[in-house]
Amino acid sequence: MKNHLQSALHTAFDSIAFSADADAGTLTGAESVHWNLADLYPTFNDGAFAADMQASDTNAQAFHAKWYGKIVACSAQDMRAMILELQDLYETQGRLGSRVSLNWTTDQNDPQVAHAYQSTMEKLTDIRKHLVFATIEIRMMSDEHFADIITAPELQEFTHWLEFNRAFKPHTLSEKEEILDAEKDLVGIDAWTRFYDQQQASARFEFDGRSVSQQEIFRVLSGHDRERRKAASEAFSRGLERDVPVNSYVFNTMLADKQINDRLRGFPTWVSSRNKSNKISDASVDSLVHSVVSRYDLSHRFYALKRKMLGLADFYEWDRNAPATSATNTMSWSEAREVVCSAYHAFDGRIGAIVDEFFDKNWIDAGVHPGKRSGAFASPAVPSVHPYILMNYTGTHRDVKTLAHELGHGVHQYLAREQGYFNCGTPLTVAETASVFGEMLVFDSLMKTTTSDEERLTLLMEKLNDMVNTVFRQVAMNRFEDAIHNARRSEGELSVDRLNELWLHTQTPSFGSAVTLTDSYKTWWSYIPHMIHTPGYVYAYAFGELLVLALYQMYTSGDDTFKQKYYDLLQAGGRDTPDNLLKPFGIDLTDPAFWMRGLDVIDTMVAQAEAIAEKLA
């Protein structure tokens, strides 16, 4: 099974955002905003880095010699001692891995950085083989002995972690097989993932007489000029068509790897392992997905309204992210900082102070430059240090909301550190809570300061655009994932034509007749990294958005206890299941009506935008 070290090395990344219509040459002040990774290690060539790597190897071997074969029958006191030792080992390894992986995300074209990343991953994988037995022995412990020790006071803080590990007992291979799986991943699916990332970072598209990056294409696609949007869309499609033979092979490799893993580990469906990792039932996810699909009409209404506001007779894929109004406001980095920090401080001074730290202590990398991965993410790094945030800031309102989003992740990860290495990580479902809540804080703050219907409509349409992408588009992508995983298992390797067919078949219903998808759109599945990095990930966005809409309603209703309950939720990290963590709010994730509640909020916002647009017409 993928273990805690790997989860530390992989950043909690977010969707590749369509940056809006700022000019590529516009300076925002973010160009010189780079993170300081010295809190991890000054450099990956640093003596402390090399010393910790050597100590990790020595200590891992000593741990193996001390505990191998003894965990299955150890006392509660010994179990606690073992867990604390193991946690310290993973903490150091996570620190080493975070240093090189974060460095690589900002400089993927540098051979020295790439070499440091790969060599470190190989060394850590070799070290990790000495530790694999610990988790396996916990899972192989007899039910009777586990029941005897799990209630002991010594293990109280690790009860959930132990029970969560035991839940994977039916899906665990032998020790030799688990070690082989981990070692082969490095030159197997992990290598293909790295190759895909490098391909995406270096991909260029011929547009406007220049060779441009994905980020520049996306910027134009969210701009006011329709002819440029169309040209950018066609340029992007030509580039994807050029690269699709390679990308389809990578996708097929990922699909086959997932199929093999699921078969060997006995998972009934392609998404069961992801749901189990997210600590949520297949039934709950099905309820979420089916609820969203049943309200695709909200997506159709939104795009129909945007088409009407833009005065267009037809509406194509290159029009989806166009601004619905003529507003062209942009924000400098310092202005964005003020807006976002003020919104967080207004909600809770404790959380606002944490947000300030990210800026004051250089925990953010915001500039756009060649070789840097696109989009945005928050990385928890390790509990003994602090999270880091990556942005590609161009000054648009969308970027401001993305900054609020990632800082929400950062606050969540920062507060959860006190739970320790094994309990700080949240499942993907709950991980989106603080990020989406942060976006709502900024949106609400901006709405309260508006002075006209025109400004309110602009903000509403921008927010709805994000919601439609977060809820309906992500679920449509989940439907594509479902289709390709199941087709790969029943049909064998999928041709480019088959992948294209399944993409259009699953995306068209979410747009309905409101958006005309051209034949050029058929390859747009191939640039989305989530399906490669973390199969099954995307539904977490819809989960988080609809959950937060319910939580935000509680906050705005004047519940005096809400702020402390919310703070406690973030501070709890992953020490319990989402169901239990959300019980103080009275939320039942198994109730289909809960998801409809969030969708009804979107319905109300669409109606509000329709009414304002009609008034201004």
Side-chain angles (χ1 to χ4, degrees):
M1 300 297 294
K2 299 288 185 184
N3 65 17
H4 298 275
L5 172 60
Q6 287 166 300
S7 67
L9 302 185
H10 291 131
T11 53
F13 60 88
D14 282 304
S15 59
I16 295 180
F18 279 175
S19 296
D21 54 334
D23 184 85
T26 300
L27 298 180
T28 66
E31 295 76 22
S32 60
V33 177
H34 302 296
W35 53 31
N36 179 3
L37 300 178
D39 289 344
L40 292 165
Y41 295 95
T43 71
F44 50 73
N45 295 316
D46 183 68
F49 186 95
D52 278 357
M53 182 66 79
Q54 180 58 52
S56 290
D57 191 13
T58 301
N59 293 338
Q61 293 186 55
F63 178 89
H64 187 277
K66 179 180 179 180
W67 293 104
Y68 187 80
K70 300 174 182 176
I71 296 173
V72 291
C74 70
S75 66
Q77 186 175 5
D78 285 344
M79 177 68 83
R80 176 178 173 81
M82 184 279 296
I83 291 173
L84 291 175
E85 285 184 42
L86 185 64
Q87 186 168 245
D88 285 344
L89 287 167
Y90 278 129
E91 173 85 23
T92 300
Q93 292 170 44
R95 187 173 184 146
L96 292 162
S98 292
R99 182 59 175 85
V100 294
S101 62
L102 289 174
N103 207 150
W104 184 66
T105 60
T106 59
D107 207 357
Q108 294 183 346
N109 293 341
D110 187 325
Q112 184 181 7
V113 172
H115 172 75
Y117 172 79
Q118 183 65 19
S119 62
T120 299
M121 295 302 105
E122 290 177 1
K123 290 174 185 175
L124 291 175
T125 298
D126 189 57
I127 292 170
R128 188 181 62 201
K129 70 185 180 184
H130 301 298
L131 308 177
V132 171
F133 78 94
T135 301
I136 295 174
E137 288 196 25
I138 290 172
R139 295 173 186 174
M140 295 303 109
M141 185 182 294
S142 72
D143 292 341
E144 294 77 15
H145 186 59
F146 185 78
D148 285 342
I149 67 170
I150 194 62
T151 57
E154 297 96 325
L155 294 176
Q156 183 176 358
E157 68 180 286
F158 296 112
T159 297
H160 175 66
W161 180 77
L162 287 166
E163 291 176 338
F164 178 61
N165 266 284
R166 291 275 292 184
F168 285 88
K169 180 177 180 178
H171 312 294
T172 302
L173 307 176
S174 70
E175 180 186 350
K176 287 184 178 180
E177 289 171 325
E178 292 289 357
I179 292 173
L180 177 63
D181 181 52
E183 290 186 319
K184 290 293 289 181
D185 271 355
L186 194 62
V187 293
I189 193 61
D190 290 349
W192 282 110
T193 299
R194 177 187 165 191
F195 171 75
Y196 177 83
D197 286 346
Q198 291 181 182
Q199 284 281 99
Q200 295 298 299
S202 62
R204 291 296 178 267
F205 306 88
E206 297 304 315
F207 171 70
D208 228 8
R210 297 182 300 122
S211 181
V212 303
S213 67
Q214 271 190 19
Q215 203 71 17
E216 291 175 276
I217 289 287
F218 293 163
R219 185 182 297 116
V220 177
L221 284 172
S222 290
H224 286 281
D225 190 324
R226 193 186 195 201
E227 288 305 312
R228 282 178 57 78
R229 289 199 308 269
K230 180 181 179 182
S233 178
E234 291 171 344
F236 191 54
S237 295
R238 287 194 299 271
L240 294 180
E241 189 76 34
R242 173 199 64 211
D243 297 337
V244 78
V246 172
N247 288 333
S248 66
Y249 188 81
V250 176
F251 267 70
N252 268 291
T253 301
M254 177 274 296
L255 294 169
D257 180 82
K258 186 75 170 61
Q259 178 183 4
I260 292 168
N261 274 327
D262 287 344
R263 173 172 54 79
L264 292 176
R265 298 184 182 282
F267 286 108
T269 74
W270 74 272
V271 77
S272 293
S273 62
R274 171 57 44 212
N275 295 346
K276 204 173 191 73
S277 295
N278 284 345
K279 306 177 185 179
I280 189 168
S281 68
D282 290 2
S284 293
V285 174
D286 287 343
S287 176
L288 163 68
V289 170
H290 292 148
S291 295
V292 172
V293 170
S294 75
R295 291 310 314 269
Y296 272 169
D297 64 289
L298 295 175
S299 172
H300 306 166
R301 280 172 59 195
F302 169 73
Y303 288 123
L305 175 59
K306 180 181 280 193
R307 180 180 64 182
K308 183 177 180 181
M309 290 174 63
L310 292 173
L312 300 177
D314 45 29
F315 198 86
Y316 295 96
E317 64 258 24
W318 53 81
D319 297 316
R320 283 196 314 108
N321 287 288
T325 68
S326 60
T328 58
N329 294 338
T330 60
M331 285 191 187
S332 68
W333 179 251
S334 60
E335 289 171 330
R337 173 177 178 172
E338 174 62 26
V339 167
V340 173
C341 289
S342 294
Y344 274 106
H345 272 283
F347 171 66
D348 188 284
R350 296 168 297 177
I351 290 178
I354 296 170
V355 169
D356 289 339
E357 285 195 72
F358 279 86
F359 293 94
D360 295 337
K361 297 182 178 179
N362 298 324
W363 297 347
I364 305 174
D365 196 290
V368 180
H369 60 80
K372 182 178 180 179
R373 65 150 287 177
S374 59
F377 66 69
S379 169
V382 287
S384 61
V385 185
H386 52 75
Y388 285 93
I389 287 172
L390 180 138
M391 290 280 300
N392 281 275
Y393 189 81
T394 62
T396 68
H397 279 172
R398 167 72 184 179
D399 288 344
V400 177
K401 285 177 281 189
T402 299
L403 178 61
H405 182 105
E406 300 308 335
L407 283 166
H409 278 307
V411 168
H412 198 171
Q413 294 161 355
Y414 182 97
L415 287 172
R417 294 182 307 160
E418 69 176 50
Q419 301 299 330
Y421 192 86
F422 286 157
N423 283 327
C424 67
T426 57
L428 294 177
T429 42
V430 180
E432 291 299 325
T433 305
S435 54
V436 180
F437 197 90
E439 283 191 67
M440 286 297 295
L441 288 173
V442 170
F443 169 72
D444 205 23
S445 174
L446 292 172
M447 284 290 282
K448 287 176 181 176
T449 61
T450 56
T451 58
S452 69
D453 283 338
E454 288 86 351
E455 292 174 355
R456 289 179 62 79
L457 184 58
T458 295
L459 288 170
L460 265 173
M461 291 300 288
E462 286 177 348
K463 183 59 179 172
L464 283 168
N465 199 78
D466 291 342
M467 285 178 162
V468 167
N469 280 330
T470 301
V471 176
F472 302 104
R473 177 166 164 75
Q474 297 296 339
V475 165
M477 285 197 283
N478 165 272
R479 296 297 78 203
F480 173 67
E481 279 194 283
D482 183 74
I484 60 175
H485 279 279
N486 287 320
R488 183 68 173 84
R489 296 175 186 206
S490 62
E491 302 171 19
E493 184 167 287
L494 304 178
S495 66
V496 170
D497 286 344
R498 183 65 171 138
L499 288 164
N500 293 346
E501 175 190 11
L502 291 171
W503 173 251
L504 291 177
H505 177 74
T506 54
Q507 302 313 290
T508 301
S510 69
F511 298 123
S513 61
V515 181
T516 301
L517 300 178
T518 68
D519 186 61
S520 297
Y521 189 69
K522 64 187 179 185
T523 57
W524 281 47
W525 54 269
S526 62
Y527 82 90
I528 302 168
H530 301 68
M531 294 181 278
I532 296 293
H533 283 264
T534 315
Y537 176 87
V538 293
Y539 74 72
Y541 287 114
F543 187 107
E545 184 78 40
L546 297 179
L547 170 60
V548 165
L549 288 176
L551 290 175
Y552 206 78
Q553 278 186 317
M554 297 178 195
Y555 164 52
T556 55
S557 69
D559 181 354
D560 293 336
T561 66
F562 179 85
K563 289 184 181 180
Q564 188 57 50
K565 288 190 292 188
Y566 180 76
Y567 192 89
D568 292 343
L569 171 66
L570 303 192
Q571 203 168 41
R575 74 179 181 203
D576 210 335
T577 65
D579 287 308
N580 289 333
L581 290 173
L582 292 167
K583 277 182 180 177
F585 299 94
I587 291 173
D588 180 4
L589 297 176
T590 63
D591 184 1
F594 168 72
W595 303 115
M596 286 300 178
R597 199 169 142 192
L599 290 161
D600 286 344
V601 174
I602 299 176
D603 194 339
T604 299
M605 292 176 68
V606 171
Q608 186 181 1
E610 289 169 335
I612 297 175
E614 184 67 27
K615 178 182 175 182
L616 295 174

